[in-house]
Amino acid sequence: QVQLVESGGGLVQAGGSLRLSCVASGSIVRYSMGWYRQAPGKQRELVAAINSGGSTTHADSVKGRFTMSRDNAKNTVYLQMNALKPEDTGVYYCNAELYTGTSWGQGTQVTVSL
């Protein structure tokens, strides 16, 4: 299983943008990848996912604002987040899934202020 490292989080005002990156320690060509988030006191939830063929799904709460993409040559997935809202605040985790198992990154904090 690959090791994952997220980056790109931070503090931003409502309406602003951030771009999260998740770099894997090895090839992600065969992996389905996902971005999850966890707000304080809430369960971790799926934000977006992309399969090995490049097809994406996004949670209804972020559709039209967030876009997930992958660059297999760089072993990296991205989450472009626009029009951020305070309710988008949380720790964002990268996930890699293959039939052999699942990997998680350590998370990156995103805080959206009014």
Side-chain angles (χ1 to χ4, degrees):
Q1 290 299 110
V2 293
Q3 306 297 312
L4 304 172
V5 178
E6 303 98 332
S7 62
L11 173 64
V12 64
Q13 286 188 326
S17 298
L18 285 173
R19 188 195 195 200
L20 305 184
S21 300
C22 171
V23 180
S25 59
S27 174
I28 60 169
V29 168
R30 296 184 300 158
Y31 285 79
S32 292
M33 306 292 294
W35 283 102
Y36 289 73
R37 68 186 179 192
Q38 188 165 18
K42 294 188 177 181
Q43 288 188 330
R44 192 173 297 188
E45 63 175 352
L46 177 66
V47 175
I50 187 167
N51 65 17
S52 57
S55 296
T56 58
T57 59
H58 295 80
D60 287 343
S61 59
V62 306
K63 280 181 181 177
R65 301 187 298 121
F66 292 10
T67 303
M68 185 173 184
S69 61
R70 66 191 297 159
D71 185 341
N72 290 336
K74 295 182 178 180
N75 299 332
T76 302
V77 294
Y78 304 97
L79 185 67
Q80 179 65 45
M81 305 187 296
N82 300 327
L84 282 160
K85 303 176 180 180
E87 51 262 45
D88 294 319
T89 294
V91 179
Y92 284 68
Y93 297 91
C94 181
N95 160 281
E97 292 189 7
L98 193 60
Y99 66 92
T100 53
T102 301
S103 297
W104 291 92
Q106 83 290 347
T108 186
Q109 176 71 44
V110 172
T111 303
V112 184
S113 63
L114 288 170

